[in-house]
Amino acid sequence: MSYNDFILTVNSSSIIILLVMVVILLTATRFRSVNGYAAAIIVVPNVPVYLYNMSRMLGWHNGIEILFNY
Protein backbone atom coordinates (compact mmCIF):
# COMPACT_ATOMS: atom_id res chain seq x y z
CA MET A 1 0.00 0.00 0.00
CA SER A 2 1.47 3.31 -1.06
CA TYR A 3 1.24 6.60 0.78
CA ASN A 4 -1.52 7.91 -1.50
CA ASP A 5 -3.59 4.75 -1.05
CA PHE A 6 -3.20 5.00 2.71
CA ILE A 7 -4.29 8.66 2.77
CA LEU A 8 -7.30 7.91 0.56
CA THR A 9 -8.32 4.94 2.72
CA VAL A 10 -8.05 6.76 6.04
CA ASN A 11 -9.83 9.92 4.91
CA SER A 12 -12.55 8.07 3.00
CA SER A 13 -13.29 5.88 5.99
CA SER A 14 -13.38 8.94 8.26
CA ILE A 15 -15.86 10.68 5.98
CA ILE A 16 -18.04 7.57 5.79
CA ILE A 17 -17.99 7.15 9.57
CA LEU A 18 -18.93 10.82 10.07
CA LEU A 19 -21.85 10.58 7.66
CA VAL A 20 -23.09 7.33 9.20
CA MET A 21 -22.95 8.91 12.64
CA VAL A 22 -25.00 11.87 11.39
CA VAL A 23 -27.64 9.52 9.98
CA ILE A 24 -27.77 7.56 13.25
CA LEU A 25 -27.95 10.78 15.24
CA LEU A 26 -30.79 12.22 13.18
CA THR A 27 -32.78 8.98 13.20
CA ALA A 28 -32.31 8.63 16.95
CA THR A 29 -33.77 12.08 17.49
CA ARG A 30 -36.44 11.37 14.85
CA PHE A 31 -35.76 14.73 13.21
CA ARG A 32 -37.58 16.49 16.05
CA SER A 33 -35.12 17.48 18.70
CA VAL A 34 -33.17 20.70 18.47
CA ASN A 35 -30.26 18.97 20.19
CA GLY A 36 -30.04 16.43 17.38
CA TYR A 37 -29.84 19.14 14.76
CA ALA A 38 -27.26 21.03 16.82
CA ALA A 39 -25.09 17.91 17.03
CA ALA A 40 -25.48 17.32 13.28
CA ILE A 41 -24.45 20.92 12.59
CA ILE A 42 -21.31 20.28 14.64
CA VAL A 43 -20.45 17.04 12.79
CA VAL A 44 -21.35 17.82 9.15
CA PRO A 45 -18.93 20.77 8.60
CA ASN A 46 -16.03 18.43 9.30
CA VAL A 47 -16.55 16.63 5.97
CA PRO A 48 -15.15 19.51 3.85
CA VAL A 49 -12.20 19.73 6.23
CA TYR A 50 -11.40 16.05 5.61
CA LEU A 51 -11.76 16.59 1.85
CA TYR A 52 -9.48 19.62 1.94
CA ASN A 53 -6.80 17.88 4.01
CA MET A 54 -6.92 14.80 1.81
CA SER A 55 -6.53 16.78 -1.39
CA ARG A 56 -3.68 18.86 0.06
CA MET A 57 -1.81 15.76 1.23
CA LEU A 58 -2.18 14.12 -2.18
CA GLY A 59 -1.09 17.22 -4.07
CA TRP A 60 -4.39 17.82 -5.83
CA HIS A 61 -3.99 21.60 -5.73
CA ASN A 62 -6.13 22.23 -8.84
CA GLY A 63 -8.96 20.23 -7.33
CA ILE A 64 -8.79 22.28 -4.16
CA GLU A 65 -9.04 25.55 -6.05
CA ILE A 66 -12.08 24.35 -7.99
CA LEU A 67 -13.78 22.71 -5.00
CA PHE A 68 -13.25 25.50 -2.48
CA ASN A 69 -13.11 28.50 -4.88
CA TYR A 70 -9.87 30.20 -3.91
Side-chain angles (χ1 to χ4, degrees), residues 33-50:
S33 173
V34 176
N35 295 333
Y37 286 116
I41 290 171
I42 292 169
V43 172
V44 170
N46 289 318
V47 173
V49 173
Y50 279 105

Side-chain angles (χ1 to χ4, degrees), residues 2-3 5 8 23 31 33 37-39 44-45 50-52 55 62:
S2 68
Y3 175 75
D5 293 336
L8 284 172
V23 169
F31 299 99
S33 173
Y37 286 116
V44 170
Y50 279 105
L51 289 173
Y52 179 80
S55 57
N62 294 332

Side-chain angles (χ1 to χ4, degrees), residues 3 5-6 8-9 12-14 16 18 22 24 26 28 42 44 53 59 62 66 68:
Y3 175 75
D5 293 336
F6 178 72
L8 284 172
T9 303
S12 299
S13 61
S14 298
I16 290 169
L18 276 174
V22 167
I24 291 171
L26 290 176
I42 292 169
V44 170
N53 289 337
N62 294 332
I66 293 169
F68 295 105

